[in-house]
Amino acid sequence: QVQLVESGGGLVQAGGSLRLSCAASSRTFGNFAMAWFRGAPGKERDFVAGISWSAETTDYADSVKGRFTISRENAKNKIYLQMNSLKPEDTALYCCAAIDVGLEWVGKRTNAYDYWGQGTQVPVSS
């Protein structure tokens, strides 16, 4: 069973920056497509950013393009989400997701992913 643990969240003012991390406990992490989703408690999670196993393919929600950057370090079993120019509407619980696909692919929907972390909170104050 794959476990994902997010970190790096915390209160930040509008215009500020944070870097989120997601650590995976999998020996096959290098074959995983990974993504970040976000949502308010009790609400549907929205796609934020995704990255293929090779990191040659990335994708972003329109609302974060130009502000957020997803990356990965396979040797450390980690992915990151660098968030710049944060806005109050970015406030959410940010969750990491993974699927062992081994293909040059990124999914944008929650049902594409098999494994999920519990999330890290990012409250952005105005």
Short mmCIF file of all heavy atoms in Angstrom, two decimals, residues 41-110:
data_model
loop_
_atom_site.label_atom_id
_atom_site.label_comp_id
_atom_site.label_asym_id
_atom_site.label_seq_id
_atom_site.Cartn_x
_atom_site.Cartn_y
_atom_site.Cartn_z
N PRO A 41 -12.96 22.00 3.01
CA PRO A 41 -13.53 20.85 3.71
C PRO A 41 -14.97 20.59 3.31
O PRO A 41 -15.79 21.51 3.27
CB PRO A 41 -13.42 21.25 5.18
CG PRO A 41 -12.28 22.21 5.22
CD PRO A 41 -12.36 22.97 3.94
N GLY A 42 -15.27 19.34 3.00
CA GLY A 42 -16.61 18.97 2.60
C GLY A 42 -16.99 19.29 1.17
O GLY A 42 -18.13 19.06 0.78
N LYS A 43 -16.05 19.82 0.39
CA LYS A 43 -16.33 20.18 -0.99
C LYS A 43 -15.50 19.33 -1.94
O LYS A 43 -14.51 18.72 -1.56
CB LYS A 43 -16.05 21.65 -1.22
CG LYS A 43 -16.96 22.59 -0.44
CD LYS A 43 -16.71 24.04 -0.80
CE LYS A 43 -17.65 24.96 -0.05
NZ LYS A 43 -17.39 26.38 -0.39
N GLU A 44 -15.92 19.32 -3.20
CA GLU A 44 -15.24 18.55 -4.23
C GLU A 44 -13.83 19.08 -4.45
O GLU A 44 -13.61 20.29 -4.46
CB GLU A 44 -16.04 18.60 -5.53
CG GLU A 44 -15.46 17.76 -6.65
CD GLU A 44 -16.30 17.80 -7.90
OE1 GLU A 44 -17.45 18.26 -7.81
OE2 GLU A 44 -15.82 17.36 -8.96
N ARG A 45 -12.90 18.16 -4.64
CA ARG A 45 -11.52 18.55 -4.89
C ARG A 45 -11.29 18.88 -6.36
O ARG A 45 -11.78 18.17 -7.24
CB ARG A 45 -10.58 17.43 -4.46
CG ARG A 45 -10.59 17.18 -2.96
CD ARG A 45 -9.76 15.98 -2.60
NE ARG A 45 -9.74 15.74 -1.17
CZ ARG A 45 -9.17 14.70 -0.59
NH1 ARG A 45 -8.55 13.79 -1.31
NH2 ARG A 45 -9.22 14.57 0.73
N ASP A 46 -10.54 19.93 -6.59
CA ASP A 46 -10.24 20.39 -7.94
C ASP A 46 -8.78 20.13 -8.29
O ASP A 46 -7.89 20.25 -7.45
CB ASP A 46 -10.52 21.89 -8.08
CG ASP A 46 -11.97 22.24 -7.87
OD1 ASP A 46 -12.84 21.47 -8.32
OD2 ASP A 46 -12.24 23.28 -7.24
N PHE A 47 -8.56 19.81 -9.55
CA PHE A 47 -7.21 19.61 -10.04
C PHE A 47 -6.42 20.91 -9.99
O PHE A 47 -6.92 21.96 -10.38
CB PHE A 47 -7.26 19.09 -11.48
CG PHE A 47 -5.92 18.97 -12.14
CD1 PHE A 47 -5.09 17.90 -11.88
CD2 PHE A 47 -5.50 19.93 -13.04
CE1 PHE A 47 -3.86 17.78 -12.49
CE2 PHE A 47 -4.27 19.82 -13.67
CZ PHE A 47 -3.45 18.74 -13.38
N VAL A 48 -5.19 20.84 -9.52
CA VAL A 48 -4.30 21.99 -9.46
C VAL A 48 -3.14 21.83 -10.43
O VAL A 48 -2.90 22.70 -11.27
CB VAL A 48 -3.75 22.21 -8.04
CG1 VAL A 48 -2.79 23.39 -8.01
CG2 VAL A 48 -4.90 22.42 -7.05
N ALA A 49 -2.40 20.74 -10.31
CA ALA A 49 -1.23 20.51 -11.14
C ALA A 49 -0.90 19.03 -11.15
O ALA A 49 -1.13 18.33 -10.17
CB ALA A 49 -0.03 21.31 -10.63
N GLY A 50 -0.35 18.56 -12.26
CA GLY A 50 0.04 17.17 -12.38
C GLY A 50 1.36 17.02 -13.09
O GLY A 50 1.77 17.91 -13.84
N ILE A 51 2.01 15.88 -12.87
CA ILE A 51 3.31 15.63 -13.47
C ILE A 51 3.43 14.15 -13.78
O ILE A 51 3.04 13.29 -12.99
CB ILE A 51 4.45 16.12 -12.54
CG1 ILE A 51 5.80 16.03 -13.24
CG2 ILE A 51 4.45 15.35 -11.22
CD1 ILE A 51 6.88 16.82 -12.50
N SER A 52 3.96 13.84 -14.97
CA SER A 52 4.13 12.46 -15.39
C SER A 52 5.31 11.83 -14.68
O SER A 52 6.11 12.50 -14.03
CB SER A 52 4.32 12.39 -16.90
OG SER A 52 5.55 12.99 -17.28
N TRP A 53 5.44 10.52 -14.85
CA TRP A 53 6.53 9.80 -14.18
C TRP A 53 7.90 10.29 -14.61
O TRP A 53 8.85 10.28 -13.82
CB TRP A 53 6.41 8.29 -14.44
CG TRP A 53 6.77 7.89 -15.85
CD1 TRP A 53 5.94 7.86 -16.93
CD2 TRP A 53 8.05 7.48 -16.31
NE1 TRP A 53 6.63 7.45 -18.04
CE2 TRP A 53 7.93 7.21 -17.69
CE3 TRP A 53 9.29 7.31 -15.69
CZ2 TRP A 53 9.00 6.78 -18.47
CZ3 TRP A 53 10.36 6.88 -16.46
CH2 TRP A 53 10.22 6.62 -17.82
N SER A 54 8.02 10.70 -15.87
CA SER A 54 9.29 11.16 -16.41
C SER A 54 9.54 12.65 -16.16
O SER A 54 10.65 13.13 -16.40
CB SER A 54 9.35 10.91 -17.91
OG SER A 54 8.46 11.76 -18.60
N ALA A 55 8.50 13.37 -15.73
CA ALA A 55 8.52 14.83 -15.55
C ALA A 55 8.57 15.58 -16.87
O ALA A 55 8.72 16.80 -16.87
CB ALA A 55 9.66 15.26 -14.64
N GLU A 56 8.45 14.87 -17.98
CA GLU A 56 8.44 15.52 -19.29
C GLU A 56 7.09 16.14 -19.60
O GLU A 56 7.00 17.00 -20.49
CB GLU A 56 8.82 14.53 -20.39
CG GLU A 56 10.25 14.04 -20.29
CD GLU A 56 10.62 13.07 -21.39
OE1 GLU A 56 9.75 12.75 -22.23
OE2 GLU A 56 11.79 12.65 -21.43
N THR A 57 6.06 15.71 -18.89
CA THR A 57 4.72 16.25 -19.09
C THR A 57 4.20 16.83 -17.79
O THR A 57 4.20 16.14 -16.76
CB THR A 57 3.75 15.17 -19.59
OG1 THR A 57 4.26 14.60 -20.80
CG2 THR A 57 2.38 15.76 -19.86
N THR A 58 3.78 18.07 -17.82
CA THR A 58 3.12 18.71 -16.69
C THR A 58 1.85 19.38 -17.17
O THR A 58 1.71 19.71 -18.35
CB THR A 58 4.01 19.74 -16.00
OG1 THR A 58 4.40 20.74 -16.95
CG2 THR A 58 5.26 19.08 -15.42
N ASP A 59 0.93 19.59 -16.24
CA ASP A 59 -0.32 20.25 -16.58
C ASP A 59 -0.78 21.04 -15.37
O ASP A 59 -0.50 20.66 -14.23
CB ASP A 59 -1.37 19.22 -16.99
CG ASP A 59 -2.46 19.82 -17.86
OD1 ASP A 59 -2.43 21.03 -18.14
OD2 ASP A 59 -3.36 19.06 -18.29
N TYR A 60 -1.49 22.13 -15.64
CA TYR A 60 -1.93 23.02 -14.59
C TYR A 60 -3.36 23.47 -14.83
O TYR A 60 -3.80 23.62 -15.97
CB TYR A 60 -1.05 24.27 -14.53
CG TYR A 60 0.39 23.98 -14.20
CD1 TYR A 60 1.32 23.74 -15.21
CD2 TYR A 60 0.83 23.96 -12.88
CE1 TYR A 60 2.65 23.48 -14.91
CE2 TYR A 60 2.15 23.70 -12.58
CZ TYR A 60 3.06 23.46 -13.60
OH TYR A 60 4.37 23.20 -13.29
N ALA A 61 -4.06 23.70 -13.74
CA ALA A 61 -5.35 24.36 -13.84
C ALA A 61 -5.15 25.78 -14.33
O ALA A 61 -4.14 26.42 -14.02
CB ALA A 61 -6.05 24.37 -12.49
N ASP A 62 -6.11 26.27 -15.10
CA ASP A 62 -5.98 27.62 -15.64
C ASP A 62 -5.80 28.67 -14.54
O ASP A 62 -5.10 29.66 -14.72
CB ASP A 62 -7.22 27.97 -16.47
CG ASP A 62 -7.27 27.22 -17.78
OD1 ASP A 62 -6.23 26.70 -18.22
OD2 ASP A 62 -8.36 27.16 -18.38
N SER A 63 -6.41 28.43 -13.40
CA SER A 63 -6.38 29.40 -12.32
C SER A 63 -5.00 29.56 -11.68
O SER A 63 -4.77 30.54 -10.97
CB SER A 63 -7.40 29.03 -11.24
OG SER A 63 -7.12 27.75 -10.71
N VAL A 64 -4.10 28.60 -11.91
CA VAL A 64 -2.78 28.66 -11.28
C VAL A 64 -1.64 28.76 -12.28
O VAL A 64 -0.48 28.88 -11.86
CB VAL A 64 -2.54 27.46 -10.34
CG1 VAL A 64 -3.67 27.33 -9.33
CG2 VAL A 64 -2.38 26.17 -11.14
N LYS A 65 -1.92 28.72 -13.56
CA LYS A 65 -0.87 28.81 -14.57
C LYS A 65 -0.08 30.10 -14.41
O LYS A 65 -0.66 31.17 -14.24
CB LYS A 65 -1.46 28.72 -15.97
CG LYS A 65 -1.91 27.33 -16.37
CD LYS A 65 -2.46 27.31 -17.79
CE LYS A 65 -2.89 25.92 -18.18
NZ LYS A 65 -3.47 25.89 -19.54
N GLY A 66 1.23 29.97 -14.47
CA GLY A 66 2.09 31.13 -14.31
C GLY A 66 2.42 31.46 -12.87
O GLY A 66 3.32 32.28 -12.62
N ARG A 67 1.70 30.86 -11.93
CA ARG A 67 1.95 31.11 -10.51
C ARG A 67 2.48 29.89 -9.77
O ARG A 67 3.28 30.02 -8.85
CB ARG A 67 0.67 31.59 -9.82
CG ARG A 67 0.13 32.89 -10.38
CD ARG A 67 -1.00 33.43 -9.51
NE ARG A 67 -2.15 32.52 -9.48
CZ ARG A 67 -2.64 31.98 -8.37
NH1 ARG A 67 -2.10 32.24 -7.19
NH2 ARG A 67 -3.70 31.17 -8.44
N PHE A 68 2.01 28.70 -10.16
CA PHE A 68 2.40 27.47 -9.48
C PHE A 68 3.30 26.64 -10.40
O PHE A 68 3.12 26.63 -11.62
CB PHE A 68 1.18 26.62 -9.13
CG PHE A 68 0.29 27.18 -8.06
CD1 PHE A 68 0.46 28.46 -7.57
CD2 PHE A 68 -0.73 26.40 -7.55
CE1 PHE A 68 -0.37 28.98 -6.58
CE2 PHE A 68 -1.56 26.89 -6.55
CZ PHE A 68 -1.38 28.18 -6.07
N THR A 69 4.22 25.90 -9.80
CA THR A 69 5.10 25.00 -10.53
C THR A 69 5.18 23.66 -9.81
O THR A 69 5.49 23.62 -8.62
CB THR A 69 6.51 25.58 -10.67
OG1 THR A 69 6.45 26.85 -11.32
CG2 THR A 69 7.39 24.64 -11.51
N ILE A 70 4.90 22.59 -10.53
CA ILE A 70 5.02 21.25 -9.98
C ILE A 70 6.34 20.64 -10.45
O ILE A 70 6.77 20.84 -11.58
CB ILE A 70 3.82 20.36 -10.38
CG1 ILE A 70 3.85 19.03 -9.61
CG2 ILE A 70 3.78 20.13 -11.88
CD1 ILE A 70 2.57 18.22 -9.76
N SER A 71 6.98 19.89 -9.56
CA SER A 71 8.24 19.24 -9.89
C SER A 71 8.35 17.96 -9.09
O SER A 71 7.55 17.70 -8.18
CB SER A 71 9.43 20.16 -9.62
OG SER A 71 9.49 20.53 -8.26
N ARG A 72 9.35 17.15 -9.42
CA ARG A 72 9.54 15.91 -8.67
C ARG A 72 11.02 15.57 -8.58
O ARG A 72 11.82 15.94 -9.44
CB ARG A 72 8.76 14.75 -9.32
CG ARG A 72 9.27 14.30 -10.67
CD ARG A 72 8.28 13.35 -11.33
NE ARG A 72 8.10 12.13 -10.56
CZ ARG A 72 7.04 11.31 -10.67
NH1 ARG A 72 6.05 11.62 -11.51
NH2 ARG A 72 6.97 10.22 -9.93
N GLU A 73 11.36 14.85 -7.52
CA GLU A 73 12.68 14.30 -7.32
C GLU A 73 12.49 12.81 -7.04
O GLU A 73 12.23 12.42 -5.91
CB GLU A 73 13.40 14.97 -6.16
CG GLU A 73 13.79 16.40 -6.40
CD GLU A 73 14.63 16.96 -5.29
OE1 GLU A 73 15.86 16.76 -5.33
OE2 GLU A 73 14.07 17.60 -4.37
N ASN A 74 12.62 12.02 -8.06
CA ASN A 74 12.34 10.59 -7.93
C ASN A 74 13.29 9.89 -6.96
O ASN A 74 12.89 8.94 -6.29
CB ASN A 74 12.38 9.92 -9.29
CG ASN A 74 11.20 10.28 -10.17
OD1 ASN A 74 10.24 10.90 -9.71
ND2 ASN A 74 11.25 9.89 -11.43
N ALA A 75 14.52 10.36 -6.89
CA ALA A 75 15.48 9.75 -5.98
C ALA A 75 15.08 9.93 -4.53
O ALA A 75 15.50 9.16 -3.67
CB ALA A 75 16.87 10.33 -6.21
N LYS A 76 14.26 10.94 -4.25
CA LYS A 76 13.77 11.21 -2.89
C LYS A 76 12.32 10.80 -2.69
O LYS A 76 11.77 11.01 -1.62
CB LYS A 76 13.93 12.69 -2.56
CG LYS A 76 15.36 13.17 -2.54
CD LYS A 76 15.43 14.64 -2.15
CE LYS A 76 16.86 15.12 -2.08
NZ LYS A 76 16.93 16.56 -1.69
N ASN A 77 11.71 10.24 -3.71
CA ASN A 77 10.29 9.87 -3.66
C ASN A 77 9.42 11.06 -3.26
O ASN A 77 8.52 10.94 -2.42
CB ASN A 77 10.08 8.71 -2.68
CG ASN A 77 10.46 7.37 -3.25
OD1 ASN A 77 11.13 7.28 -4.27
ND2 ASN A 77 10.03 6.31 -2.59
N LYS A 78 9.68 12.20 -3.88
CA LYS A 78 8.95 13.40 -3.53
C LYS A 78 8.50 14.18 -4.75
O LYS A 78 9.16 14.16 -5.79
CB LYS A 78 9.81 14.33 -2.67
CG LYS A 78 10.03 13.85 -1.25
CD LYS A 78 10.79 14.90 -0.46
CE LYS A 78 10.95 14.49 0.99
NZ LYS A 78 11.68 15.53 1.77
N ILE A 79 7.37 14.86 -4.60
CA ILE A 79 6.97 15.89 -5.54
C ILE A 79 6.77 17.18 -4.76
O ILE A 79 6.58 17.17 -3.54
CB ILE A 79 5.70 15.55 -6.34
CG1 ILE A 79 4.47 15.48 -5.42
CG2 ILE A 79 5.89 14.26 -7.11
CD1 ILE A 79 3.16 15.51 -6.19
N TYR A 80 6.78 18.29 -5.50
CA TYR A 80 6.68 19.60 -4.89
C TYR A 80 5.68 20.45 -5.65
O TYR A 80 5.41 20.23 -6.83
CB TYR A 80 8.04 20.31 -4.90
CG TYR A 80 9.14 19.51 -4.27
CD1 TYR A 80 9.98 18.72 -5.04
CD2 TYR A 80 9.35 19.54 -2.89
CE1 TYR A 80 11.00 17.98 -4.47
CE2 TYR A 80 10.36 18.81 -2.31
CZ TYR A 80 11.18 18.03 -3.09
OH TYR A 80 12.19 17.30 -2.51
N LEU A 81 5.14 21.42 -4.95
CA LEU A 81 4.31 22.43 -5.58
C LEU A 81 4.77 23.79 -5.07
O LEU A 81 4.53 24.14 -3.91
CB LEU A 81 2.84 22.22 -5.27
CG LEU A 81 1.88 23.17 -6.00
CD1 LEU A 81 1.88 22.87 -7.50
CD2 LEU A 81 0.47 23.06 -5.44
N GLN A 82 5.46 24.51 -5.93
CA GLN A 82 5.87 25.87 -5.60
C GLN A 82 4.74 26.81 -5.95
O GLN A 82 4.31 26.87 -7.10
CB GLN A 82 7.14 26.25 -6.37
CG GLN A 82 7.62 27.67 -6.12
CD GLN A 82 8.08 27.89 -4.70
OE1 GLN A 82 8.84 27.08 -4.17
NE2 GLN A 82 7.63 28.96 -4.07
N MET A 83 4.25 27.53 -4.96
CA MET A 83 3.11 28.41 -5.13
C MET A 83 3.56 29.85 -4.89
O MET A 83 3.99 30.19 -3.79
CB MET A 83 1.98 28.04 -4.17
CG MET A 83 1.55 26.59 -4.28
SD MET A 83 0.10 26.21 -3.24
CE MET A 83 0.82 26.46 -1.62
N ASN A 84 3.44 30.66 -5.91
CA ASN A 84 3.81 32.07 -5.83
C ASN A 84 2.58 32.94 -6.08
O ASN A 84 1.58 32.49 -6.64
CB ASN A 84 4.89 32.41 -6.85
CG ASN A 84 6.17 31.64 -6.64
OD1 ASN A 84 6.56 31.36 -5.51
ND2 ASN A 84 6.85 31.32 -7.73
N SER A 85 2.67 34.19 -5.68
CA SER A 85 1.60 35.16 -5.88
C SER A 85 0.26 34.60 -5.41
O SER A 85 -0.75 34.66 -6.11
CB SER A 85 1.52 35.56 -7.36
OG SER A 85 2.74 36.12 -7.79
N LEU A 86 0.25 34.08 -4.21
CA LEU A 86 -0.95 33.44 -3.68
C LEU A 86 -2.09 34.43 -3.51
O LEU A 86 -1.88 35.60 -3.17
CB LEU A 86 -0.64 32.75 -2.37
CG LEU A 86 0.12 31.43 -2.52
CD1 LEU A 86 0.78 31.04 -1.21
CD2 LEU A 86 -0.83 30.33 -2.99
N LYS A 87 -3.29 33.93 -3.74
CA LYS A 87 -4.51 34.72 -3.64
C LYS A 87 -5.43 34.10 -2.59
O LYS A 87 -5.35 32.90 -2.33
CB LYS A 87 -5.23 34.76 -4.99
CG LYS A 87 -4.39 35.27 -6.14
CD LYS A 87 -5.14 35.15 -7.46
CE LYS A 87 -4.31 35.63 -8.62
NZ LYS A 87 -5.04 35.49 -9.91
N PRO A 88 -6.32 34.89 -2.01
CA PRO A 88 -7.26 34.32 -1.04
C PRO A 88 -8.05 33.15 -1.61
O PRO A 88 -8.36 32.20 -0.87
CB PRO A 88 -8.18 35.50 -0.71
CG PRO A 88 -7.31 36.69 -0.90
CD PRO A 88 -6.43 36.35 -2.08
N GLU A 89 -8.37 33.17 -2.90
CA GLU A 89 -9.11 32.08 -3.51
C GLU A 89 -8.30 30.79 -3.65
O GLU A 89 -8.85 29.75 -4.01
CB GLU A 89 -9.68 32.49 -4.87
CG GLU A 89 -8.66 33.10 -5.80
CD GLU A 89 -8.68 34.61 -5.79
OE1 GLU A 89 -8.76 35.20 -4.68
OE2 GLU A 89 -8.63 35.22 -6.88
N ASP A 90 -6.99 30.85 -3.38
CA ASP A 90 -6.17 29.65 -3.34
C ASP A 90 -6.32 28.90 -2.03
O ASP A 90 -5.80 27.78 -1.90
CB ASP A 90 -4.69 30.00 -3.54
CG ASP A 90 -4.39 30.54 -4.92
OD1 ASP A 90 -4.94 30.01 -5.91
OD2 ASP A 90 -3.59 31.49 -5.02
N THR A 91 -6.98 29.50 -1.06
CA THR A 91 -7.18 28.86 0.24
C THR A 91 -7.87 27.51 0.08
O THR A 91 -8.93 27.42 -0.54
CB THR A 91 -8.02 29.75 1.15
OG1 THR A 91 -7.30 30.96 1.42
CG2 THR A 91 -8.34 29.06 2.46
N ALA A 92 -7.25 26.48 0.62
CA ALA A 92 -7.80 25.13 0.49
C ALA A 92 -6.94 24.14 1.26
O ALA A 92 -5.84 24.46 1.71
CB ALA A 92 -7.87 24.71 -0.98
N LEU A 93 -7.46 22.93 1.36
CA LEU A 93 -6.66 21.78 1.75
C LEU A 93 -6.05 21.21 0.48
O LEU A 93 -6.76 20.84 -0.45
CB LEU A 93 -7.53 20.73 2.44
CG LEU A 93 -6.80 19.48 2.93
CD1 LEU A 93 -5.95 19.80 4.15
CD2 LEU A 93 -7.80 18.37 3.26
N TYR A 94 -4.73 21.15 0.44
CA TYR A 94 -4.02 20.66 -0.73
C TYR A 94 -3.62 19.21 -0.51
O TYR A 94 -2.94 18.89 0.46
CB TYR A 94 -2.78 21.51 -1.01
CG TYR A 94 -3.11 22.83 -1.65
CD1 TYR A 94 -3.73 23.84 -0.92
CD2 TYR A 94 -2.83 23.07 -2.99
CE1 TYR A 94 -4.05 25.05 -1.52
CE2 TYR A 94 -3.14 24.27 -3.59
CZ TYR A 94 -3.75 25.26 -2.86
OH TYR A 94 -4.06 26.46 -3.46
N CYS A 95 -4.04 18.35 -1.43
CA CYS A 95 -3.82 16.92 -1.32
C CYS A 95 -2.97 16.40 -2.47
O CYS A 95 -3.14 16.83 -3.61
CB CYS A 95 -5.14 16.16 -1.30
SG CYS A 95 -6.20 16.57 0.11
N CYS A 96 -2.11 15.47 -2.15
CA CYS A 96 -1.26 14.81 -3.13
C CYS A 96 -1.91 13.50 -3.56
O CYS A 96 -2.49 12.79 -2.73
CB CYS A 96 0.11 14.56 -2.50
SG CYS A 96 1.30 13.73 -3.56
N ALA A 97 -1.81 13.18 -4.84
CA ALA A 97 -2.39 11.96 -5.38
C ALA A 97 -1.40 11.26 -6.30
O ALA A 97 -0.56 11.91 -6.93
CB ALA A 97 -3.68 12.26 -6.14
N ALA A 98 -1.52 9.94 -6.40
CA ALA A 98 -0.58 9.15 -7.19
C ALA A 98 -1.28 7.97 -7.85
O ALA A 98 -2.26 7.44 -7.34
CB ALA A 98 0.56 8.64 -6.32
N ILE A 99 -0.73 7.58 -9.00
CA ILE A 99 -1.16 6.35 -9.66
C ILE A 99 0.05 5.72 -10.32
O ILE A 99 0.85 6.41 -10.95
CB ILE A 99 -2.29 6.60 -10.68
CG1 ILE A 99 -2.72 5.28 -11.32
CG2 ILE A 99 -1.90 7.62 -11.73
CD1 ILE A 99 -3.99 5.38 -12.13
N ASP A 100 0.18 4.41 -10.19
CA ASP A 100 1.26 3.66 -10.80
C ASP A 100 0.87 3.35 -12.23
O ASP A 100 0.23 2.33 -12.50
CB ASP A 100 1.53 2.38 -10.00
CG ASP A 100 2.74 1.63 -10.49
OD1 ASP A 100 3.36 2.04 -11.49
OD2 ASP A 100 3.09 0.61 -9.86
N VAL A 101 1.26 4.22 -13.14
CA VAL A 101 0.84 4.08 -14.53
C VAL A 101 2.01 3.79 -15.47
O VAL A 101 1.85 3.05 -16.43
CB VAL A 101 0.07 5.34 -14.98
CG1 VAL A 101 0.95 6.58 -14.93
CG2 VAL A 101 -0.52 5.15 -16.37
N GLY A 102 3.17 4.37 -15.20
CA GLY A 102 4.35 4.10 -16.01
C GLY A 102 4.28 4.58 -17.44
O GLY A 102 5.02 4.10 -18.29
N LEU A 103 3.40 5.53 -17.71
CA LEU A 103 3.21 6.08 -19.04
C LEU A 103 3.40 7.58 -19.01
O LEU A 103 3.33 8.21 -17.95
CB LEU A 103 1.82 5.74 -19.58
CG LEU A 103 1.46 4.27 -19.72
CD1 LEU A 103 0.00 4.12 -20.10
CD2 LEU A 103 2.36 3.60 -20.75
N GLU A 104 3.61 8.16 -20.18
CA GLU A 104 3.77 9.61 -20.29
C GLU A 104 2.38 10.23 -20.28
O GLU A 104 1.79 10.50 -21.33
CB GLU A 104 4.55 9.95 -21.56
CG GLU A 104 5.02 11.39 -21.61
CD GLU A 104 5.91 11.74 -20.44
OE1 GLU A 104 6.74 10.89 -20.03
OE2 GLU A 104 5.78 12.85 -19.91
N TRP A 105 1.90 10.49 -19.07
CA TRP A 105 0.50 10.82 -18.89
C TRP A 105 0.29 11.57 -17.58
O TRP A 105 1.00 11.33 -16.59
CB TRP A 105 -0.31 9.52 -18.87
CG TRP A 105 -1.74 9.64 -18.49
CD1 TRP A 105 -2.80 9.90 -19.31
CD2 TRP A 105 -2.29 9.49 -17.18
NE1 TRP A 105 -3.97 9.91 -18.60
CE2 TRP A 105 -3.69 9.65 -17.29
CE3 TRP A 105 -1.74 9.21 -15.93
CZ2 TRP A 105 -4.55 9.56 -16.20
CZ3 TRP A 105 -2.59 9.12 -14.83
CH2 TRP A 105 -3.97 9.29 -14.97
N VAL A 106 -0.67 12.46 -17.59
CA VAL A 106 -1.10 13.17 -16.39
C VAL A 106 -2.62 13.19 -16.38
O VAL A 106 -3.25 13.59 -17.36
CB VAL A 106 -0.57 14.61 -16.34
CG1 VAL A 106 -1.16 15.36 -15.16
CG2 VAL A 106 0.95 14.62 -16.27
N GLY A 107 -3.21 12.78 -15.28
CA GLY A 107 -4.65 12.81 -15.13
C GLY A 107 -5.09 14.07 -14.42
O GLY A 107 -4.38 14.61 -13.57
N LYS A 108 -6.30 14.55 -14.77
CA LYS A 108 -6.83 15.77 -14.19
C LYS A 108 -8.04 15.53 -13.30
O LYS A 108 -8.56 16.49 -12.72
CB LYS A 108 -7.22 16.75 -15.29
CG LYS A 108 -6.05 17.22 -16.16
CD LYS A 108 -6.53 18.20 -17.21
CE LYS A 108 -5.40 18.66 -18.09
NZ LYS A 108 -5.88 19.61 -19.13
N ARG A 109 -8.48 14.31 -13.18
CA ARG A 109 -9.68 14.01 -12.42
C ARG A 109 -9.34 13.14 -11.22
O ARG A 109 -8.44 12.31 -11.27
CB ARG A 109 -10.73 13.33 -13.30
CG ARG A 109 -10.99 14.10 -14.59
CD ARG A 109 -12.11 13.52 -15.39
NE ARG A 109 -13.41 13.80 -14.80
CZ ARG A 109 -14.55 13.69 -15.44
NH1 ARG A 109 -14.57 13.29 -16.71
NH2 ARG A 109 -15.69 13.96 -14.81
N THR A 110 -10.09 13.33 -10.15
CA THR A 110 -9.79 12.61 -8.92
C THR A 110 -9.88 11.10 -9.10
O THR A 110 -9.11 10.35 -8.49
CB THR A 110 -10.73 13.03 -7.79
OG1 THR A 110 -12.09 12.83 -8.19
CG2 THR A 110 -10.52 14.50 -7.45
#
